[in-house]
Amino acid sequence: MILVTGGAGYIGSHVCVALLDAGFDVVAIDNLSNSNRVSLERVQFICGRSLVFRHADIRNEELIYDVLRTCGVTAVIHLAGLKAVGDSTVQPMTYYENNVLGTMRLVSAMKRANVKALIFSSSATVYGIPKYLPLDEKHPLRPTNPYGRTKLTIEEMLTDLYRSDDSWRISNFRYFNPVGAHESGLIGEDPLGTPNNLLPFVAQVAIGRQEKLRILGNDYDTPDGTCIRDFIHVVDLAAGHLSALRQPRHPGLLTVNLGTGSGTSVLDVVRTFEEASGRSIPYEIGERRVGDVAACYADPTFAKVALGWMSARSLQQMCADHWRWQLQNPNGYGDSEFSKIRERSRYLRRHS
Ligand code: NAD
Ligand code: UD1
């Protein structure tokens, strides 16, 4: 049995699908502060299997301990956390309390229950401003915002834990830019309010929920002047977690980039999304966003060596899958029961 914290969220729901499809039993914990329990109903529909869901906060150590023991958990994939960079600069203590204290409570419960396998969702944001590219795991760590510092603090805490007791198996995964959705179009990213991130915004322009995209700067030192990022399909990202669970020669403490190794510019994303959706994406050029870096992409070599994992899906597929999710769920999980039933029958028709 695998415990997935933050299991109802964007990445969590895709990780749950990967686990159930691979034959693992799953218990998901989520306080639903940034998600909807409908995502987990759909996970079960996609997989044709059920999972256990606990509506709970990871800071509730006794509850986590109880779940670990009563469900017979053998490993934890820890995705619960707050992730909005801008928000973290406004309310840093909320971020430290949720992300750092939450992880402390989780780890304390794991220690008591003698569950010592943990995969932690870190971020490429721990590198800060790149000194060289592509970013390998040895790159200096200098996050530039409170969100990134909570991730680095947790990585350091877990390293100290491992040094004190090498029977732990800890994987720190530094995600680059997860995008896309499950091919069924039933689960995907459902941001609250106006999206901050590029792909959800582009998808909302394509569906007509936003009038136009604002490209945040076209005077960067890159071939077309717009920023470059390493977009990775969320289904590939989820598969990386399975590789870590199955790794027979896990070294005990592993810190790995999960990215594709390819940089794509904002303008390339817009063009590829237009092709995938058949819709035009009107845009204007705006000011640079404070804190943005010109280019950021992974060196994924170590993930291949350590996990035997590498990403497989193209940018075209990321955009096509993201678009299918957006098209079938114009208002995310907030859609009516009727549209949910309609989506389900479409999925069944495609797979019959
Ligand atoms: P998400 O917001 O969709 O999922 C996080 C989930 O955690 C949500 O369902 C939320 O309700 C839940 N949660 C938050 N605090 C909780 C708490 N105290 N107790 C229980 N549940 C709690 O975000 P996501 O994109 O799926 O990201 C998952 C993790 O991966 C996060 O920790 C995030 O920081 C990290 N990450 C995400 C990205 C990205 O671009 N999406 C990149 C790097 C790292
Ligand atoms: C952001 C977060 C990072 C997080 C990552 C993935 C910041 C500063 N960093 O990074 O911590 O790990 O998301 O969730 O928020 N863009 C536009 N118009 C928009 C939105 C974005 O042009 O409306 C551009 C941005 O300027 C950037 C690129 O698109 O150049 C990607 O932006 P985004 O999706 O927010 O990801 P990151 O900036 O990489």
Side-chain angles (χ1 to χ4, degrees):
M1 176 73 86
I2 311 296
L3 168 61
V4 182
T5 74
Y10 171 47
I11 297 171
S13 52
H14 290 84
V15 166
C16 288
V17 167
L19 289 168
L20 290 173
D21 276 352
F24 288 98
D25 293 320
V26 174
V27 51
I29 288 184
D30 203 298
N31 67 3
L32 303 179
S33 58
N34 195 40
S35 52
N36 190 316
R37 65 171 79 221
V38 172
S39 67
L40 290 176
E41 285 169 20
R42 295 190 183 186
V43 164
Q44 296 174 90
F45 178 80
I46 290 168
C47 301
R49 293 185 57 203
S50 55
L51 52 69
V52 180
F53 175 59
R54 293 273 186 280
H55 182 185
D57 196 293
I58 52 161
R59 286 165 290 184
N60 185 342
E61 184 178 328
E62 288 313 312
L63 186 137
I64 305 288
Y65 177 65
D66 185 59
V67 168
L68 291 169
R69 290 205 40 212
T70 55
C71 295
V73 171
T74 52
V76 177
I77 299 179
H78 177 33
L79 304 162
L82 299 176
K83 64 166 185 176
V85 173
D87 208 24
S88 78
T89 62
V90 179
Q91 21 183 356
M93 296 323 290
T94 306
Y95 273 68
Y96 279 95
E97 202 204 320
N98 197 80
N99 295 1
V100 179
L101 182 66
T103 306
M104 287 169 73
R105 296 259 165 84
L106 171 72
V107 166
S108 174
M110 289 175 69
K111 203 170 165 194
R112 284 166 57 202
N114 201 32
V115 177
K116 292 188 172 177
L118 175 64
I119 297 175
F120 169 59
S121 57
S122 189
S123 166
T125 199
V126 297
Y127 294 119
I129 299 163
K131 290 193 183 309
Y132 59 83
L133 289 165
L135 290 159
D136 59 28
E137 290 81 358
K138 295 189 178 71
H139 186 281
L141 304 174
R142 299 194 60 184
T144 56
N145 55 67
Y147 163 68
R149 284 188 280 275
T150 67
K151 292 293 181 188
L152 182 55
T153 304
I154 295 167
E155 280 195 16
E156 288 173 338
M157 198 169 81
L158 295 176
T159 303
D160 284 336
L161 174 69
Y162 175 75
R163 287 187 183 139
S164 73
D165 174 359
D166 65 8
S167 65
W168 281 83
R169 279 169 45 130
I170 294 169
S171 309
N172 292 311
F173 280 174
R174 294 177 180 158
Y175 306 154
F176 278 69
N177 291 59
V179 296
H182 187 264
E183 57 167 13
S184 64
L186 289 173
I187 55 172
E189 187 167 11
D190 183 18
L192 286 177
T194 307
N196 293 314
N197 298 119
L198 181 64
L199 252 289
F201 202 101
V202 167
Q204 289 196 8
V205 173
I207 202 78
R209 272 175 73 181
Q210 307 288 342
E211 194 192 335
K212 59 179 145 179
L213 172 71
R214 174 169 293 190
I215 293 184
L216 303 170
N218 69 345
D219 55 354
Y220 285 97
D221 185 15
T222 60
D224 66 20
T226 65
C227 290
I228 288 176
R229 293 291 182 272
D230 187 340
F231 299 97
I232 175 166
H233 199 298
V234 66
V235 172
D236 283 339
L237 190 84
H241 298 71
L242 288 187
S243 305
L245 287 177
R246 288 174 168 154
Q247 177 53 261
R249 290 183 303 278
H250 193 287
L253 178 67
L254 191 58
T255 299
V256 191
N257 286 338
L258 292 191
T260 65
S262 293
T264 305
S265 77
V266 172
L267 272 174
D268 280 340
V269 169
V270 171
R271 286 193 204 102
T272 310
F273 205 95
E274 286 186 324
E275 280 164 23
S277 63
R279 307 264 174 116
S280 85
I281 313 286
Y283 67 82
E284 62 186 12
I285 304 298
E287 295 293 309
R288 290 181 176 199
R289 182 169 67 183
V290 175
D292 267 352
V293 296
C296 172
Y297 50 94
D299 179 342
T301 313
F302 185 57
K304 189 160 184 232
V305 173
L307 301 171
W309 171 90
M310 55 195 289
S311 68
R313 289 165 177 79
S314 64
L315 184 69
Q316 282 74 11
Q317 187 157 3
M318 298 177 211
C319 291
D321 290 342
H322 207 112
W323 173 238
R324 189 177 307 107
W325 152 253
Q326 184 71 70
L327 193 60
Q328 291 181 191
N329 306 268
N331 299 307
Y333 292 114
D335 280 340
S336 67
E337 197 55 38
F338 170 75
S339 64
K340 277 185 248 158
I341 292 164
R342 196 184 49 197
E343 290 154 27
R344 284 173 192 181
S345 20
R346 274 198 197 128
Y347 177 69
L348 286 175
R349 269 205 303 280
R350 269 206 310 276
H351 289 265
S352 60

